[in-house]
Amino acid sequence: MKVLKEVLLIAAVLFSANYASAQTEDSNSGEVVVLNKEHFLQKVYNYEKNSNKWLYEGSVPCIIDFYADWCGPCKMVAPILKELAMEYKGKIIVYKINVDENRELATLFGVRSIPTFLFVPAKGDPQSAKGSLPRESFVSAIDNFLLKPEQK
């Protein structure tokens, strides 16, 4: 029985590690991807290496949703972001960063209220927006800022 418990514990640890890895590796799958600091440094901006200049690490534009599990407006926007991630699959990536679990990232971007969104083009500087946005605002930001006509 003890061996069975140990095997199940190891299997659970391996499963959760693979799930988290798959969630961040398959970031262009049309799913909303939850980021932590380590994956943020790899996929978005390595501020430890490039502290003086914004340098996007990704190849397609992204939206970053700074949220908290307890936030009502964050919960209202989540289905919109999930829908847009599927609709713009292959063209943009939608990331989420839990501000309660990643305070350093929230501080880095001056997040003082949630939800806060960072719109990151493939080239150029990001822009932010605060508060619960309607779907039309996201679509406009995607079409007119992230996917400029020459990038489509």
Side-chain angles (χ1 to χ4, degrees):
M1 187 67 162
K2 183 178 179 182
V3 173
L4 179 60
K5 284 183 181 178
E6 289 176 0
V7 169
L8 290 175
L9 178 62
I10 291 170
V13 169
L14 290 174
F15 174 79
S16 64
N18 286 336
Y19 177 76
S21 175
Q23 227 183 353
T24 56
E25 287 174 10
D26 194 15
S27 58
N28 213 1
S29 66
E31 294 292 320
V32 175
V33 180
V34 178
L35 291 181
N36 59 23
K37 177 185 174 183
E38 175 188 352
H39 293 115
F40 179 87
L41 292 172
Q42 294 170 0
K43 300 194 175 290
V44 179
Y45 171 52
N46 189 335
Y47 56 87
E48 294 177 341
K49 186 171 76 174
N50 301 304
S51 61
N52 295 329
K53 182 180 179 196
W54 172 264
L55 181 62
Y56 181 49
E57 301 289 342
S59 58
V60 297
C62 72
I63 298 173
I64 302 171
D65 173 15
F66 289 92
Y67 78 102
D69 290 332
W70 49 263
C71 169
C74 300
K75 291 177 185 179
M76 290 172 45
V77 171
I80 295 170
L81 292 173
K82 185 174 184 174
E83 182 181 290
L84 291 171
M86 285 301 296
E87 185 176 327
Y88 287 92
K89 179 180 177 179
K91 295 179 181 178
I92 68 163
I93 300 170
V94 178
Y95 292 120
K96 292 177 73 85
I97 296 176
N98 186 319
V99 296
D100 291 332
E101 297 172 2
N102 298 281
R103 293 185 190 276
E104 182 178 342
L105 294 175
T107 301
L108 178 71
F109 289 98
V111 175
R112 297 186 191 279
S113 64
I114 51 174
T116 292
F117 304 97
L118 195 64
F119 296 91
V120 183
K123 294 181 177 155
D125 293 331
Q127 293 183 2
S128 66
K130 297 178 186 328
S132 182
L133 301 175
R135 185 181 196 286
E136 297 77 27
S137 294
F138 284 108
V139 169
S140 178
I142 292 167
D143 291 341
N144 299 316
F145 178 66
L146 295 180
L147 301 176
K148 294 178 184 167
E150 64 271 8
Q151 295 176 348
K152 283 186 181 178

